[in-house]
Amino acid sequence: MSHADSTTTTEADTVDLPSSTELRAQRLLFDGPSPLVKADMYTNVAKGNVERSRYAAKLAKRTVLETNSYFGRFPASYWQRWTDVTEVRFSASVAGSGRVDIVATDYKGRKRTMASETVTTDGRARRLDFAVPVKQFLDGGALFARFTTTSGELTVEDAEWTVDAPEKLRPTSVVICTFNRADDCANTVAAMAEDPIALLGVDNVYVVDQGSDQVQTRPLFQRVAAELGDKLVYITQPNLGGAGGFTRGLYEVQGKGGDPANVVFMDDDVLCEPEAIVRMNAFANKTIEPAIIGAQMLYLLHPDRVHVGAEVANLQKLEAGLHVKNAISDKSALKKKQEIRVDAGYNGWWSCLIPSEIVSQIGYPLPLFFQWDDIEYGYRARANGFATVTLPGAAVWHADFAWKDWDEWHRYFNLRNGMITASLHAGLDGKKLARQLTTDLFRYLVSMQYGMAFTLIKAIEDFLVGPSKLTDGGMDAAAAIRRDRAAYNETKRYNANAVPDVRPADMFITPAGPHPKKSLEWAVLAKRVLNQSRGRVHPGPVAISADDAHWWHVSLFAHAVVTDRSQEGVRVRKRDKAAATELLKRGLRALRRLRVETDSVAESYRQAVPELTSRENWTRLYS
């Protein structure tokens, strides 16, 4: 293992990887990397009985096994659209007797058989090969294998999809950014290192540690580091958030000689499917032009559910994570397939590949610390002619977003960085945004979310400061918002059986009524504001579930104990007229400024982008 401090950069020539006539596009795996994951995510037993392990399957008599599954399908539509591939080959070692079919789907999910062969062996394994054209998939569709037995058994192993290799494979590095998640990070690195294929074409694994509880102290990491040797580069640096951590990988790779190279980002707290690296890297080696290749996110608490097939943002409304039309969203991958090909506006950095040529042309990410850094970079890349492709079947498991409470410190960055991104790429309309945020402010206040109201106000104020707020990479802002929010009691989480000054029997679950009609929302909000101000509300305390914690419901009470979205505890909201009045005055001042100053502030951000995204700026931050 090699080490790098906050300023070291290694100079080296671009590495030429050995080439061959075949490039492994993806492996056919029969089971997942963890018992938490159902084998049906990889293959589907349509009939009979199958013994499935990671790399092999043994079919009993009268059995049908299909790879028409989330990880088992070859996304032919994406390969036809974005790469120079015109033919894909499927190969597998088989022993026993049965039939193997290669089946295609179209954009409507209709199936057609592309190739078929009946096999009978004397017990020894035989290599079976099929070549299938990659055409007639432009609007959607995939390829999968079907294995059928009748009177005999069949064993299938070492199966894969391959394409013609390019003349030269691109050097590849993996970057893992971590902050005080030492055990998670060690597990993620180990999952990659223990896969026999995942790191074959990888030159370096950069672990960028920004925390005080360092991953290098963990025995598992020490063991894996010894196995990886100089391939593993361990870097410690100040906490510059996800933006600074992931950018460090781009920075190191560019310092080695630049283009072309692939840089794969991987979050530290994921359940890693090492196959994602294989698939993204192979795809990036065959694209017609450099493109950001993204992996999808599966939910860690619900491992069969797909977060989104491809996403975009509504920049004017600061809404991120919106699924594009025809993209699956929060759906079970066991029940729903992404047949229609969809285009992405950006891809989250839970796992994502960025080609170095894009960095050379558009610069490094903005030092936004946390949130919207991936969105801004994706939209900046698209504006400069570089697409983002979210590749089906390449994925990692990440904590469910729906189980993260909205009322947290990182909403400051969500709002502030969303405004910065919209200023750069959408011509942010300050008047329209001020109207939207005014509504949000009143809703937070009547819901007794004073810390959330403060967070919104502070995000507006700091956006209006301009690009100088990004000078330190966000370190001061991250510390300040945590400290300032702590002054508001409802930002704290308590055990449901240890709520201050409330006996458990005093809290009775109080369900919410129906959502007010759209045409009446402002009238209802105005009434709630008036009643909260005058104290004409139920004194409480009442218990309110996370799903029922709507502004129009919580605002009926003066004391509400609300379940946190994490389901790990509760927040206590209590009416505080003085705090509400002070925050309202400060908020309205900030919103007036937003209406007037947005255009000039947005121009200052646009002027500052070349400097903020330069190598020199990141060198300064890493120092």
Side-chain angles (χ1 to χ4, degrees):
M1 176 178 68
S2 59
H3 285 72
D5 61 19
S6 61
T7 57
T8 302
T9 304
T10 303
E11 297 294 336
D13 294 331
T14 302
V15 178
D16 289 336
L17 296 176
S19 62
S20 65
T21 58
E22 297 285 316
L23 174 66
R24 181 183 294 106
Q26 66 180 61
R27 292 173 291 176
L28 173 53
L29 303 171
F30 298 92
D31 202 359
S34 164
L36 299 176
V37 180
K38 293 181 179 179
D40 290 349
M41 290 288 288
Y42 293 81
T43 53
N44 172 40
V45 182
K47 175 185 174 183
N49 295 290
V50 183
E51 294 179 14
R52 290 177 284 183
S53 61
R54 182 72 164 158
Y55 305 108
K58 184 176 181 180
L59 286 71
K61 299 176 182 178
R62 293 178 291 280
T63 291
V64 178
L65 178 69
E66 293 184 339
T67 73
N68 188 24
S69 59
Y70 180 82
F71 287 108
R73 291 154 59 91
F74 179 83
S77 180
Y78 288 78
W79 281 83
Q80 179 180 345
R81 169 63 179 88
W82 296 107
T83 77
D84 60 6
V85 168
T86 58
E87 180 182 83
V88 63
R89 290 171 290 280
F90 176 79
S91 61
S93 293
V94 296
S97 61
R99 190 179 77 247
V100 181
D101 302 316
I102 304 300
V103 184
T105 66
D106 63 15
Y107 64 95
K108 292 185 177 180
R110 297 172 300 198
K111 300 173 184 177
R112 63 188 188 274
T113 300
M114 304 289 286
S116 180
E117 184 171 341
T118 300
V119 296
T120 301
T121 71
D122 57 4
R124 292 181 296 178
R126 170 195 162 194
R127 197 70 183 168
L128 193 65
D129 294 284
F130 294 96
V132 182
V134 178
K135 62 181 182 179
Q136 296 181 303
F137 293 100
L138 197 55
D139 283 339
L143 290 164
F144 66 91
R146 178 190 295 133
F147 307 97
T148 306
T149 62
T150 52
S151 58
E153 298 179 342
L154 183 69
T155 298
V156 183
E157 56 187 345
D158 297 329
E160 62 184 7
W161 301 85
T162 60
V163 297
D164 289 339
E167 292 184 8
K168 182 190 292 186
L169 291 175
R170 300 163 60 89
T172 300
S173 294
V174 176
V175 182
I176 303 173
C177 164
T178 187
F179 176 76
N180 290 344
R181 286 176 176 153
D183 292 324
D184 290 338
C185 183
N187 289 332
T188 299
V189 177
M192 294 183 204
E194 291 166 3
D195 186 290
I197 300 297
L199 296 184
L200 275 184
V202 173
D203 302 282
N204 290 115
V205 177
Y206 293 97
V207 175
V208 183
D209 196 336
Q210 303 184 121
S212 55
D213 181 15
Q214 296 192 338
V215 67
Q216 65 180 336
T217 63
R218 298 304 195 266
L220 176 60
F221 184 78
Q222 294 166 2
R223 176 178 65 77
V224 173
E227 294 170 359
L228 293 178
D230 288 343
K231 180 175 283 192
L232 179 64
V233 181
Y234 183 78
I235 300 172
T236 59
Q237 66 180 35
N239 181 22
L240 295 166
F246 284 127
T247 299
R248 185 62 187 265
L250 298 174
Y251 180 92
E252 293 293 324
V253 170
Q254 293 292 98
K256 287 186 173 182
D259 307 329
N262 295 332
V263 184
V264 179
F265 293 170
M266 188 75 69
D267 264 353
D268 58 350
D269 60 341
V270 298
L271 172 56
C272 180
E273 173 49 89
E275 176 68 7
I277 300 172
V278 176
R279 298 184 184 189
M280 286 189 290
N281 196 33
F283 195 86
N285 269 284
K286 295 294 288 181
T287 54
I288 300 294
E289 297 177 335
I292 296 174
I293 312 301
Q296 293 179 347
M297 180 184 128
L298 301 167
Y299 292 149
L300 193 56
L301 294 177
H302 305 88
D304 65 315
R305 300 191 77 82
V306 182
H307 170 52
V308 62
E311 57 190 324
V312 292
N314 184 329
L315 299 183
Q316 289 290 354
K317 292 186 176 181
L318 311 185
E319 295 175 343
L322 305 176
H323 69 276
V324 301
K325 184 179 179 181
N326 297 318
I328 58 176
S329 177
D330 192 15
K331 293 291 191 299
S332 171
L334 302 177
K335 300 176 182 178
K336 183 72 174 177
K337 306 291 188 298
Q338 183 71 62
E339 297 289 4
I340 297 176
R341 182 179 58 79
V342 291
D343 291 330
Y346 67 94
N347 200 94
W349 283 354
W350 47 73
S351 188
C352 185
L353 183 153
I354 298 180
S356 59
E357 297 97 314
I358 296 180
V359 183
S360 296
Q361 182 160 329
I362 74 172
Y364 291 92
L366 279 170
L368 296 177
F369 191 83
F370 185 57
Q371 298 207 344
W372 285 79
D373 44 358
D374 44 13
I375 301 174
E376 190 283 323
Y377 203 75
Y379 276 92
R380 189 175 0 139
R382 175 75 70 169
N384 284 274
F386 298 106
T388 293
V389 182
T390 298
L391 186 64
V396 295
W397 289 270
H398 188 282
D400 303 32
F401 284 167
W403 287 55
K404 293 184 176 183
D405 206 276
W406 182 260
D407 191 353
E408 290 288 353
W409 63 269
H410 44 74
R411 292 306 162 196
Y412 163 85
F413 289 103
N414 181 280
L415 292 163
R416 189 202 69 175
N417 296 347
M419 288 185 274
I420 294 172
T421 301
S423 295
L424 298 177
H425 302 294
L428 181 63
D429 187 324
K431 294 182 176 63
K432 286 184 179 179
L433 181 60
R435 285 197 295 271
Q436 174 187 322
L437 296 183
T438 298
T439 302
D440 291 341
L441 176 62
F442 277 110
R443 287 176 176 178
Y444 294 147
L445 291 175
V446 298
S447 300
M448 299 172 287
Q449 290 179 284
Y450 305 119
M452 191 62 212
F454 170 81
T455 303
L456 180 149
I457 296 165
K458 184 64 173 170
I460 296 171
E461 291 172 343
D462 285 359
F463 163 74
L464 294 172
V465 169
S468 64
K469 201 67 183 174
L470 305 180
T471 301
D472 71 342
M475 288 186 286
D476 179 68
I481 195 64
R482 284 188 177 100
R483 180 186 66 243
D484 294 343
R485 277 176 51 88
Y488 300 94
N489 288 327
E490 83 284 349
T491 64
K492 301 178 177 67
R493 191 168 66 199
Y494 298 96
N495 184 297
N497 292 314
V499 179
D501 303 320
V502 178
R503 296 181 305 172
D506 292 337
M507 297 178 292
F508 197 81
I509 297 174
T510 308
H515 193 296
K517 292 181 179 179
K518 192 75 174 175
S519 59
L520 297 177
E521 277 191 14
W522 257 104
V524 173
L525 181 57
K527 183 178 180 180
R528 295 291 194 272
V529 170
L530 186 63
N531 288 342
Q532 273 279 331
S533 175
R534 294 177 176 178
R536 296 177 179 176
V537 290
H538 188 287
V542 296
I544 298 176
S545 70
D547 271 353
D548 279 341
H550 309 294
W551 62 266
W552 70 86
H553 180 53
V554 179
S555 56
L556 294 172
F557 308 97
H559 189 180
V561 180
V562 180
T563 304
D564 190 80
R565 274 285 170 193
S566 68
Q567 298 293 312
E568 294 178 359
V570 296
R571 311 283 188 102
V572 181
R573 303 190 197 174
K574 297 183 74 172
R575 177 176 173 267
D576 186 335
K577 183 177 180 180
T581 302
E582 178 187 348
L583 288 165
L584 179 60
K585 291 178 180 177
R586 181 173 173 179
L588 292 177
R589 285 196 300 270
L591 289 162
R592 280 195 296 271
R593 290 185 58 204
L594 185 67
R595 280 190 285 269
V596 174
E597 300 175 28
T598 291
D599 289 347
S600 60
V601 172
E603 179 59 26
S604 71
Y605 280 108
R606 287 191 288 271
Q607 293 292 331
V609 165
E611 179 184 351
L612 289 171
T613 61
S614 68
R615 184 174 180 85
E616 291 74 20
N617 186 50
W618 281 105
T619 299
R620 179 186 61 81
L621 288 169
Y622 293 138
S623 298

